[in-house]
Amino acid sequence: MNNLIRNTIAIKSIFLSCLFFTIQAQANWETQALNLQNSIDNDAPFYETTWAGTHNSFSNQDDDSIYIDWVNQSMSIKKQLDSGIRELVLDIHFDAGAVRVCHNNIDTQYFGYFDCIYGYTGSRLLIDALEDIKSWLNDSHMRQVLLLKIELANSAQRNPIQVAQALNEIANYAYLPAVDSGYSAVLPTHLTKSKVLASHKNIIIFSSEDHLSHELSNLVFSSNGVVQDLKKTDWMDFTHDHTTHMTRVKDGTTQGGLLNSLGYINKKAPKLTPLTTTHYLNAGLNIFETYGFNSKEASWIVNGLLPVQAADLVWSWEKTNPMISVSAQKSTLKLIDLTAMNVGNIFMLLAEN
């Protein structure tokens, strides 16, 4: 997000968002701050927004039975959303006669098993993961917007009808491609959260696949060509080019380290750390797909580092420096410097209006 949008966001927009956004009992300041931050860029185009995300969001032991060293996340999908996550990633497979979510890059039978292995890769039904998302939205979160990235394994691509039938579980919540042309509509990066909410929708489903099947093109946008994936070596030199493209970094680190395609663990340093995250935020990166998000458990330390915390993704105000700069425009519209504001001060300012 550029400095103009970051540093001068209208209080009126925040106030309208907060009318519908309930701050529930949170464990700490960081999650409260990140949750509130998710609503203050509602009028910015997607290419100027920040999305706190999790890579392989389904890969956690709260939702499925997965080998401990292979999990990517420390908490359930619902808890991730409660903690401020607004971009989820689901790896979709068709296995044992059902559409499932699991992380397995091997597309053939392996040691007597296929794609999704209970107790190892996980084998949860996609429809159950989608039901969790629906349930969270319906629990006082209907003013929130989510990005849902789906990664289609070969088995899923061979069974598009079944995958589309499962995705229909959230079709009523999804902002859908406008034209039923049979071709993949490109993710509209000029879209705003406000426009999505005005359409009474909450979810944008997208995939990096260039050519989606007819069945899926009615539900899923293609991000090919409009979302740039950055590699680890890019981060020191990364600057947002201020085009209409979005930028994304994914970190596939697991609780045991970095998992390769054969299931072996590599202990090299993660892509997203507090240091790299701060750099990416300052440079205007859009999508952060973290591993082990917000976990403070020693078991999640990789290469001497804890995973990215909620506080690492808060750009909008400082916890210890609640200085406020206000310039009045109209009686109901004020611009504020969010880089030096905490949650308490925002609500104090709102109360005065």
Side-chain angles (χ1 to χ4, degrees):
M1 177 172 289
N2 66 33
N3 288 334
L4 177 62
I5 294 177
R6 176 177 296 180
N7 294 339
T8 56
I9 295 177
I11 259 293
K12 183 178 180 181
S13 176
I14 301 174
F15 179 70
L16 292 174
S17 296
C18 291
L19 283 176
F20 298 96
F21 181 68
T22 302
I23 293 291
Q24 300 174 340
Q26 306 273 354
N28 49 46
W29 170 87
E30 289 86 355
T31 53
Q32 291 184 37
L34 184 57
N35 270 298
L36 186 57
Q37 177 178 288
N38 287 326
S39 290
I40 64 178
D41 58 3
N42 278 6
D43 294 317
F46 281 1
Y47 59 84
E48 291 284 6
T49 54
T50 303
W51 298 84
T54 48
H55 190 63
N56 293 341
S57 314
F58 58 89
S59 181
N60 65 79
Q61 291 194 317
D62 289 347
D63 291 331
D64 203 350
S65 178
I66 302 172
Y67 179 54
I68 185 64
D69 278 352
W70 293 359
V71 296
N72 293 94
Q73 302 303 330
S74 65
M75 64 184 89
S76 69
I77 286 176
K78 281 187 174 182
K79 289 179 181 178
Q80 292 170 41
L81 294 169
D82 281 339
S83 298
I85 291 301
R86 293 297 181 268
E87 191 249 8
L88 300 170
V89 179
L90 302 181
D91 288 8
I92 300 178
H93 298 250
F94 186 78
D95 189 29
V99 183
R100 303 178 185 275
V101 288
C102 71
H103 185 58
N104 188 351
N105 294 327
I106 298 170
D107 193 46
T108 57
Q109 192 170 17
Y110 190 67
F111 292 132
Y113 297 96
F114 289 93
D115 290 26
C116 299
I117 309 168
Y118 183 81
Y120 289 90
T121 66
S123 61
R124 194 181 192 205
L125 294 175
L126 171 60
I127 195 170
D128 289 341
L130 299 177
E131 182 59 40
D132 282 349
I133 297 171
K134 279 176 48 180
S135 175
W136 183 84
L137 286 169
N138 288 327
D139 185 19
S140 302
H141 299 108
M142 290 301 290
R143 295 297 298 175
Q144 297 299 300
V145 177
L146 310 178
L147 288 180
L148 176 61
K149 184 176 191 294
I150 62 170
E151 299 186 351
L152 300 169
N154 289 338
S155 60
Q157 293 185 44
R158 291 193 296 266
N159 294 273
I161 295 175
Q162 291 86 345
V163 174
Q165 287 173 342
L167 288 174
N168 275 322
E169 177 73 15
I170 57 170
N172 289 338
Y173 298 78
Y175 186 91
L176 301 175
V179 180
D180 182 10
S181 64
Y183 297 97
S184 305
V186 175
L187 179 70
T189 59
H190 61 277
L191 190 64
T192 66
K193 296 177 187 177
S194 290
K195 184 173 180 180
V196 174
L197 293 171
S199 302
H200 306 288
K201 303 298 181 183
N202 303 90
I203 305 170
I204 298 92
I205 311 171
F206 73 99
S207 169
S208 59
E209 297 291 332
D210 188 15
H211 299 291
L212 293 162
S213 69
H214 173 73
E215 294 85 359
L216 292 173
S217 65
N218 295 327
L219 296 164
V220 183
F221 290 99
S222 172
S223 63
N224 187 48
V226 296
V227 177
Q228 176 190 4
D229 285 346
L230 301 182
K231 307 300 182 184
K232 182 180 179 181
T233 54
D234 295 333
W235 77 269
M236 285 295 291
D237 300 320
F238 169 71
T239 55
H240 196 289
D241 60 8
H242 298 296
T243 69
T244 58
H245 289 184
M246 295 179 73
T247 47
R248 165 182 173 257
V249 167
K250 67 173 184 178
D251 195 326
T253 302
T254 67
Q255 185 163 358
L258 189 64
L259 187 67
N260 69 18
S261 61
L262 295 178
Y264 297 111
I265 299 294
N266 185 328
K267 291 288 187 179
K268 67 182 181 180
K271 287 182 185 177
L272 286 174
T273 66
L275 173 63
T276 60
T277 298
T278 297
H279 178 85
Y280 279 135
L281 275 174
N282 290 337
L285 184 84
N286 300 116
I287 302 174
F288 294 77
E289 287 182 12
T290 61
Y291 77 94
F293 176 72
N294 218 29
S295 177
K296 298 174 176 61
E297 297 294 328
S299 59
W300 277 94
I301 294 176
V302 176
N303 212 36
L305 300 168
L306 277 171
V308 170
Q309 304 294 300
D312 298 324
L313 287 165
V314 176
W315 54 258
S316 45
W317 50 81
E318 293 290 346
K319 181 178 179 180
T320 57
N321 186 19
M323 295 176 64
I324 305 173
S325 173
V326 178
S327 61
Q329 300 252 322
K330 296 181 180 179
S331 60
T332 59
L333 180 61
K334 294 183 180 179
L335 301 179
I336 60 174
D337 181 356
L338 290 173
T339 60
M341 178 168 286
N342 64 19
V343 178
N345 289 109
I346 286 180
F347 281 113
M348 286 172 61
L349 196 59
L350 292 177
E352 295 172 1
N353 290 271

